[in-house]
Amino acid sequence: MSDRTAAAEGPPIRDAATVIVLRDRDTRPRVLMGQRGAKAAFMPNKFVFPGGAVDAGDRAVPLATPLTPVCTARLEDDAPAGIAHSLAVAAIRELWEETGQLLGRRAPWPDTVPTDWLPFAGAGLRPSAEHLQFVFRAITPPGRPRRFDARFFLLDAEALVSDPDDFSEAEDELAHLQWIEVDRVRDFDLPFITEVVLAEVAARARDEAPPESVPFFHNDAEESLFLRLHGRPMRED
């Protein structure tokens, strides 16, 4: 996956995927979050959802089940064709690496398993994307040390094949992993865009259907715009 540069002097804009795991959506909804380290180059000390940049190898990882057609169409609205698969794989990989949580199905791998996925495959699993629901997209504003074109996926915790309270297999990128009630999450130190996304999640907590359109917070050197992605070409008017 190639990087895109918004300005010659600025950092490249990297495609990225973030996963909002939602639990107890019919009672008092909670989301899975962790705290970035104080020395992190991007959003130090902030509480965030698990996620990160798309890796070049994500394109070749075989999914046991793909994204739904509606999510695929909206991911590829105002984006390169074929990007949906890589984003889904990145979302599952980052969720697994940063929290130890597994989203997959019991299925054999058709080819040689990439080294980074050997523990995942060792559990008898292949990543599965059918339960990921694309709900938000945002580009990091100019002037930040790192910039991402981030796609946010909503995932019901019931789709996990791991114990949602067991973070023992997580890497150390996020500390204080925990389930936080949506109605009190703003008591934590959050990035601005996370607060915006949480408002969308709160509104959809009890609605399991995909949104009619997906909000897109587009930032470039000239202006910041809120657009909507409908899964069809966007008109320039």
Side-chain angles (χ1 to χ4, degrees):
M1 190 65 57
S2 61
D3 295 340
R4 287 167 286 125
T5 304
E9 69 278 5
I13 300 175
R14 299 190 64 189
D15 291 308
T18 296
V19 187
I20 309 156
V21 190
L22 185 65
R23 191 176 187 182
D24 304 324
R25 64 192 307 162
D26 294 323
T27 53
R28 191 181 182 189
R30 294 182 286 164
V31 288
L32 179 58
M33 304 190 78
Q35 187 178 31
R36 292 182 59 80
K39 296 182 179 179
F42 188 70
M43 296 183 179
N45 294 315
K46 298 290 187 180
F47 272 82
V48 297
F49 305 116
V54 172
D55 285 348
D58 290 334
R59 181 181 300 179
V61 173
L63 290 167
T65 54
L67 290 161
T68 64
V70 66
C71 286
T72 297
R74 288 170 186 166
L75 282 165
E76 296 186 359
D77 189 346
D78 197 26
I83 196 173
H85 178 95
S86 295
L87 288 165
V89 171
I92 297 167
R93 176 179 51 75
E94 290 287 341
L95 175 66
W96 168 45
E97 291 175 352
E98 295 189 348
T99 71
Q101 296 300 315
L102 295 164
L103 180 63
R105 280 195 172 193
R106 296 205 170 274
W109 287 64
D111 299 302
T112 302
V113 179
T115 301
D116 292 347
W117 288 86
L118 285 173
F120 202 100
L125 300 171
R126 272 172 57 196
S128 174
E130 63 183 323
H131 296 293
L132 291 172
Q133 189 177 94
F134 176 42
V135 295
F136 203 93
R137 179 179 175 185
I139 297 178
T140 309
R144 305 295 172 85
R146 294 180 182 174
R147 297 189 68 194
F148 298 96
D149 188 345
R151 282 71 160 195
F152 293 78
F153 294 93
L154 186 62
L155 174 69
D156 196 302
E158 292 186 0
L160 297 170
V161 295
S162 48
D163 179 350
D165 295 309
D166 182 3
F167 306 124
S168 61
E169 298 300 319
E171 297 180 358
D172 59 2
E173 185 168 347
L174 295 181
H176 307 297
L177 285 163
Q178 59 191 286
W179 294 95
I180 305 174
E181 291 85 356
V182 172
D183 58 10
R184 76 177 188 93
V185 73
R186 286 175 178 80
D187 295 338
F188 293 76
D189 186 6
L190 306 174
F192 164 73
I193 196 60
T194 302
E195 295 194 33
V196 176
V197 175
L198 277 165
E200 189 78 10
V201 171
R204 303 199 54 76
R206 292 176 174 82
D207 185 355
E208 297 184 18
E212 289 296 321
S213 63
V214 174
F216 178 15
F217 191 34
H218 187 286
N219 290 287
D220 59 27
E222 287 77 31
E223 59 185 345
S224 297
L225 298 173
F226 256 116
L227 308 174
R228 307 291 299 193
L229 302 175
H230 297 266
R232 58 178 182 268
M234 299 176 67
R235 296 180 300 174
E236 297 181 355
D237 57 16

